[in-house]
Amino acid sequence: MIEILDLHKSFGSLEVLKGVDLSLEHGKVLVIIGPSGSGKTTLLRCFNLLEIPDQGSVSLADVKINFTDAKRIDQKSMLALRRKTGMVFQSYNLFPHMTALGNVMEGQITVQKRTKEEARKRALALLDKVGLADKADSYPHQLSGGQQQRVAIARAMAVEPEVLLFDEPTSALDPELVGEVLKVIKQLAREGMTMVIVTHEMKFAADVADRIILMDDGLILEQGSPQEVLEHPRNPRALQFLNRLNGEDI
Amino acid sequence: MDDRKIQILLDSLLPLLKAGVAFTIPLSLVSFALGLLLAVLTALVRLSPWMIPKLIARFYVWVIRGTPLLVQLFIIFYGLPAVGIVLDPFIAATIGFTLSVGAYSSEIVRAAILSIHKGQWEAAFSVGMTRGQALRRVILPQAARVSVPPLSNSFISLVKDTSLAATITYMEMFKTAQQVAATTYEPLLVYSEAGVCYLLFCSVLSALQNYLEKRLDRYSAS
């Protein structure tokens, strides 16, 4: 369903992605891991064009975009691609001037042109699903980090994306709040939501992923089932990264 | 203070307040509303990628900020008739003050828009909004909150600056005071009274600013 071919991206003279290919089928969960600066977040942000690749192509369902002349991309296909994806950010990025309910209704009303009643009904159902039905009228600053991130997940789901993108969704959270967010993501995985997740939570990655990609220095070092990548990596640098993680865990 | 002076004060108070309500306030409100519109437009153009409009916007802000308001008013009211454009004092003053508010406040609006974290744009884009939708629904409402205090400053400045319209024969509060002072020979008394009237109007505006800030504060963490 998602196919990415030969993706390149530079920031100035720094080449962050050096030719990445990957594909993902409908209903599967892909987890991207790797050391900081390996390009995993940039790769994820290319899925919904928050970063515009310099070269390569991204296709999702029936939208396909080729990147050649970096700055000139068709606005229509860009919107089409964004409307098939939803994103959950590391720092939540909820709209602070709207209530939790308002946040989840906003995209439905502005983008999907649903009526207010329809949007409200759906938003309430989604807030209930992430366990926050009682916080519908709270503003983001009145919620804990974990609650805000769960609202953000509901907001991303509300526009019915084909795929949900998670950019280190628990990195900004206090340790005791990580669990409630991971639980929601796991629930979505069980329901067959297609997801791409950048994370540092290895146990969670092993749990939820159908496939894991390990990135380093702008390239994919390893990919395969969680078992293949986490337990039997072939590349020595992948092994080094995993060992370092395990070392830190102890 | 003798009875005559008290009588002058009382006699002039009503005409002064009347001039304030009938001339100073309408001129301030209309100029500020139009000026704000111009300011938002100018700020958006300056933040856009369009080179030529951007240059025009910068040129406009540069000229208006770099020349005295009094000179601008004189050019519009006394200068333009030389090329066949004769304007009524109210229209001339409105044009002058609108251009001034537009230039100064465009910098406030621009700064307020830039102060909104880029994660807000990204979140708006991630649910599929266009740039315009993101601006209207997500960025501007937050920028408005940030710009209430500095824009209130601009508005209060404007109310006082409208006294310059006296020089282009607009019968606002200060012009009225000038006439009373001329006929009573009590400049200290009458101009002080005019000052108190401006203070009164500006105090109401400050209270309005407080109210607006409190109202918009309900979603901010601080």
Side-chain angles (χ1 to χ4, degrees), chain A residues 100-171:
Chain A
L101 185 70
N103 267 277
V104 186
M105 286 170 65
E106 182 56 36
Q108 302 185 60
I109 291 171
T110 311
V111 177
Q112 296 185 309
K113 312 291 179 203
R114 292 202 175 118
T115 64
K116 268 204 167 143
E117 298 79 73
E118 231 181 308
R120 176 187 306 272
K121 221 172 111 190
R122 244 189 95 71
L124 282 171
L126 281 164
L127 284 174
D128 188 43
K129 191 181 167 93
V130 298
L132 291 172
D134 57 327
K135 299 288 183 191
D137 296 324
S138 300
Y139 283 91
H141 78 272
Q142 298 167 319
L143 301 173
S144 73
Q147 290 169 335
Q148 289 191 51
Q149 196 59 301
R150 285 186 281 152
V151 173
I153 294 173
R155 175 178 70 180
M157 297 276 297
V159 288
E160 295 177 309
E162 305 263 346
V163 54
L164 268 185
L165 311 170
F166 292 84
D167 182 14
E168 303 192 23
T170 59
S171 295

Side-chain angles (χ1 to χ4, degrees), chain B residues 140-192:
Chain B
L140 284 182
Q142 294 182 62
R145 163 76 182 79
V146 178
S147 45
V148 167
L151 283 179
S152 301
N153 249 353
S154 295
F155 192 32
I156 288 171
S157 272
L158 171 68
V159 171
K160 293 179 298 173
D161 284 348
T162 55
S163 58
L164 290 175
T167 63
I168 58 168
T169 75
Y170 185 62
M171 278 304 295
E172 47 69 67
M173 209 152 60
F174 183 63
K175 182 85 182 162
T176 308
Q178 278 181 317
Q179 287 183 342
V180 176
T183 52
T184 58
Y185 302 106
E186 288 290 352
L188 176 63
L189 201 64
V190 177
Y191 288 138
S192 301

Side-chain angles (χ1 to χ4, degrees), chain A residues 45 83 94 96-97 106 141, chain B residues 119-120 122 128 137 142 219:
Chain A
R45 288 161 61 87
R83 285 172 185 178
L94 289 180
H97 56 305
E106 182 56 36
H141 78 272
Chain B
Q120 290 292 313
E122 294 183 347
R137 301 288 307 172
Q142 294 182 62
Y219 66 78

Side-chain angles (χ1 to χ4, degrees), chain A residues 152-198:
Chain A
I153 294 173
R155 175 178 70 180
M157 297 276 297
V159 288
E160 295 177 309
E162 305 263 346
V163 54
L164 268 185
L165 311 170
F166 292 84
D167 182 14
E168 303 192 23
T170 59
S171 295
L173 293 174
D174 290 338
E176 76 271 21
L177 301 177
V178 169
E180 63 187 67
V181 173
L182 295 186
K183 204 177 110 195
V184 170
I185 302 176
K186 279 184 197 162
Q187 169 70 24
L188 293 175
R190 273 198 298 276
E191 289 168 10
M193 186 77 212
T194 314
M195 296 192 277
V196 182
I197 306 171
V198 171

